[in-house]
Amino acid sequence: MIRIALMVVRSLFRIPSYMYHLIQYGKPDDSHTEYERYIYLRKLVKRVNHVGRVKVVGYGEENIPEKDGFIMFPNHQGLFDSLAIIETCSHPFGIVIKQEAARWILVKQVIALLRGIAIDRDDIKDSIRMIRQVTEEVKQGRNYVIFAEGTRSKEQNNILPFKSGTFKSAVNAKCPIVPVALIDSYKPFDCNSIKKEKVEVHYLPPIYPEEYRGMKTSEIAEIVHDRIQEEINAYRN
């Protein structure tokens, strides 16, 4: 967490402005478009990552579908994951996050700006609500990020099994599924250091509805999981 302190200290004079704009953009009646809100957030995130001495490099951005209405499924390594995706993804998106994290200061404001969804992971009814909401919004052209592991892996670049239920929204919406491989995303906040770090975000070729039609969500989860792990392994060696 020492890097978070560095980010705060080096951004101290900007924090009042950041908070003001995040709160304004996060209001339900804010008049800005989703793209305008997201552009502001990307600029903020890039500055914060820079002062935090973290270089984020994106690969395969050409694999992101040009037409909105898709869901990205990254592996989950820690708190920095969302910052890495925001910096490298040009398409606005909503995000699904656990209820506990959505209460943290700054995280709460960012989730509101992104029009994300906070869920109680122990409440089945809440999970069903989330699946329905994501399905409908994706059908209407919104994009989403869902961490299919359900919790962050503590095994660094070795990912946990993916939960099949997290793919129900994609199947119901019949939308492209974009596997995203995060490499070394645990380092900025998990390593007790402020040395320069590099995080990689690899956007893999999307899986389109005609490719997964008729498959069980457990089968889709396994395919996405294995493609991400293979990508991580290829760039670690």
Side-chain angles (χ1 to χ4, degrees):
M1 292 298 177
I2 188 172
R3 193 177 306 273
I4 293 179
L6 175 68
M7 289 174 167
V8 170
V9 169
R10 298 187 69 178
S11 303
L12 205 55
F13 72 101
R14 293 181 182 269
I15 287 178
S17 175
Y18 289 164
M19 285 299 297
Y20 172 79
H21 285 95
L22 288 174
I23 291 170
Q24 293 303 311
Y25 287 144
K27 291 181 178 178
D29 60 351
D30 178 68
S31 61
H32 293 86
T33 67
E34 182 175 34
Y35 184 73
E36 289 171 336
R37 293 193 299 268
Y38 187 68
I39 286 297
Y40 173 78
L41 182 62
R42 281 194 83 195
K43 290 180 180 178
L44 186 160
V45 166
K46 287 180 179 180
R47 289 195 198 108
V48 170
N49 289 346
H50 176 71
V51 300
R53 308 187 79 211
V54 182
K55 181 179 181 180
V56 182
V57 183
Y59 299 91
E61 291 96 328
E62 68 277 5
N63 289 321
I64 300 174
E66 292 185 10
K67 183 179 179 181
D68 289 326
F70 57 83
I71 302 179
M72 294 181 281
F73 289 91
N75 55 305
H76 194 14
Q77 296 191 342
L79 293 173
F80 193 80
D81 297 348
S82 298
L83 299 182
I85 296 171
I86 290 170
E87 176 160 344
T88 55
C89 182
S90 59
H91 292 251
F93 58 83
I95 191 168
V96 177
I97 188 172
K98 63 182 181 181
Q99 201 171 64
E100 310 91 275
R103 298 191 184 104
W104 301 340
I105 190 168
L106 286 179
V107 174
K108 178 180 180 180
Q109 286 73 31
V110 169
I111 296 303
L113 182 151
L114 291 173
R115 304 300 189 260
I117 302 173
I119 66 166
D120 181 348
R121 294 181 297 180
D122 298 322
D123 187 335
I124 295 177
K125 289 183 178 180
D126 205 33
S127 296
I128 293 173
R129 172 191 65 84
M130 178 275 291
I131 291 170
R132 289 175 177 170
Q133 183 175 340
V134 171
T135 298
E136 291 307 310
E137 291 187 18
V138 171
K139 283 182 178 179
Q140 294 168 19
R142 289 203 76 209
N143 310 310
Y144 262 90
V145 165
I146 299 178
F147 294 101
E149 287 163 283
T151 187
R152 72 187 186 107
S153 171
K154 295 182 180 180
E155 298 299 320
Q156 300 179 354
N157 287 309
N158 296 309
I159 63 180
L160 301 173
F162 281 5
K163 297 182 180 299
S164 60
T166 58
F167 291 87
K168 288 182 179 179
S169 293
V171 171
N172 293 343
K174 299 179 176 63
C175 72
I177 291 171
V178 184
V180 182
L182 295 168
I183 301 175
D184 293 339
S185 187
Y186 67 93
K187 288 184 176 181
F189 294 156
D190 283 8
C191 297
N192 192 30
S193 168
I194 57 172
K195 71 174 185 176
K196 290 183 179 180
E197 295 288 0
K198 178 184 176 183
V199 173
E200 297 183 16
V201 184
H202 295 245
Y203 297 94
L204 308 185
I207 305 171
Y208 289 96
E210 55 269 23
E211 298 177 65
Y212 63 74
R213 185 181 295 119
M215 296 176 63
K216 296 179 181 178
T217 52
S218 58
E219 295 174 313
I220 299 171
E222 187 174 351
I223 289 171
V224 175
H225 172 280
D226 290 352
R227 290 187 183 181
I228 291 174
Q229 188 66 71
E230 288 170 6
E231 183 77 3
I232 292 173
N233 292 345
Y235 279 83
R236 280 195 306 174
N237 299 330

